[in-house]
Amino acid sequence: MTRGLARRLGVLALAATVVAPAAAASCPAGTVYLTLDTGNMREAERIAGILNKHEVRATFFLANEKTPNGDFSLDDGWAGYWRARAKEGHAFGSHTFDHVYFRGVTPDGSLTVRPQFGEQAGRTLQWNARALCTELDRVGTRFKALTGQGLEPLWRAPGGKAPPQAMAAAKACGYAHVHWAPAGFLGDELPSESHPNDRLLAQALASIRGGDILMAHLGIWSRKDPYAPMLDPLIGGLKARGLCFATLREHPDYRR
């Protein structure tokens, strides 16, 4: 080893010992990972503004879901939205293209599924492992066409539920499944009449801890008072507690 190379390596090692404690000191309570499923996209722009305000990067799980505009979330009309989020440094995973629910497994090992959208919407289908992988890949193909960027090797089943056979099939074609922490369920799917925003916010601020994966949507049809505005005080409150935010690219279980 030359003297110059040794000196450079020594500088890098010293930098590592200085930067690591500084990073830890800035996040004394740890790191949390905000994830956002597409939903109906009604609050998409508001949520993007909140994330930018707090300089938070999230992980989006994408499906081609119907929006209040009468179009779908991966249509050309949403290309600008997704390009902007990609440019900001967010991460993206598959939520199945047609927002496909898993209903069980047949005796021969086929997956029983029910797409919510698309040409097969509302029909009960039988899929093999290849069909599932094709469905997961459809999201990445479409997202790359819209943004020029690919997905992370991550997926989330609609509802967060899929049989072990589906998890294994997805893993075999390169996708790790991502659920969320119990405290990370932010409750935007619940009725606002019985679960008002202020109660959900207080619950989240009291219970979320470092390492938790958080989950909400870019809009929910059934919720009368959208939860999205509460992301602003939630992020601010968690940061005030010493928590930092990162995408799943930085999560110890999902780093490439």
Side-chain angles (χ1 to χ4, degrees):
M1 181 185 295
T2 67
R3 183 177 300 175
L5 177 58
R7 183 165 52 249
R8 287 195 297 273
L9 290 176
V11 170
L12 289 173
L14 177 61
T17 62
V18 171
V19 170
S26 66
C27 306
T31 300
V32 294
Y33 306 87
L34 176 61
T35 68
L36 296 160
D37 297 351
T38 39
N40 69 7
M41 303 293 289
R42 181 175 62 185
E43 303 298 319
E45 292 290 356
R46 188 193 326 229
I47 289 173
I50 293 169
L51 297 179
N52 280 325
K53 172 184 174 180
H54 291 279
E55 298 183 331
V56 161
R57 301 295 169 259
T59 303
F60 294 80
F61 285 94
L62 310 179
N64 193 37
E65 301 194 54
K66 190 174 182 179
T67 83
N69 302 336
D71 60 0
F72 290 82
S73 53
L74 296 178
D75 282 352
D76 289 345
W78 287 94
Y81 180 84
W82 294 122
R83 280 197 297 266
R85 305 294 80 76
K87 186 176 181 180
E88 289 161 359
H90 300 284
F92 305 89
S94 181
H95 197 36
T96 71
F97 192 87
D98 287 329
H99 203 254
V100 179
Y101 288 101
F102 293 83
R103 300 302 192 194
V105 181
T106 64
D108 69 356
S110 297
L111 301 169
T112 301
V113 302
R114 191 176 180 87
Q116 187 177 6
F117 303 107
E119 294 182 358
Q120 304 291 331
R123 296 183 59 188
T124 299
L125 309 173
Q126 306 301 323
W127 278 2
N128 59 20
R130 179 176 294 181
L132 172 57
C133 292
T134 298
E135 178 72 9
L136 295 173
D137 287 343
R138 289 176 69 197
V139 180
T141 299
R142 181 58 182 156
F143 189 69
K144 191 163 189 179
L146 292 174
T147 69
Q149 176 175 314
L151 301 181
E152 301 299 317
L154 305 172
W155 78 294
R156 171 175 288 154
K161 297 178 181 178
Q165 292 88 337
M167 301 291 188
K171 185 176 181 180
C173 59
Y175 292 89
H177 190 264
V178 179
H179 204 264
W180 53 85
F185 176 70
L186 299 182
D188 63 343
E189 295 176 273
L190 301 173
S192 54
E193 295 83 358
S194 56
H195 296 80
N197 285 343
D198 56 353
R199 184 186 304 172
L200 292 177
L201 174 63
Q203 177 179 306
L205 287 173
S207 58
I208 289 170
R209 297 291 182 270
D212 284 349
I213 295 175
L214 319 183
M215 190 278 293
H217 299 78
L218 298 178
I220 291 291
W221 292 102
S222 59
R223 190 170 177 86
K224 180 180 178 182
D225 297 321
Y227 179 76
M230 291 302 102
L231 284 176
D232 191 352
L234 174 64
I235 292 172
L238 293 177
K239 282 189 168 186
R241 283 181 42 204
L243 287 159
C244 292
F245 286 78
T247 72
L248 291 174
R249 286 189 294 255
E250 290 74 52
H251 192 287
D253 292 343
Y254 302 111
R255 292 190 190 115
R256 292 198 178 209

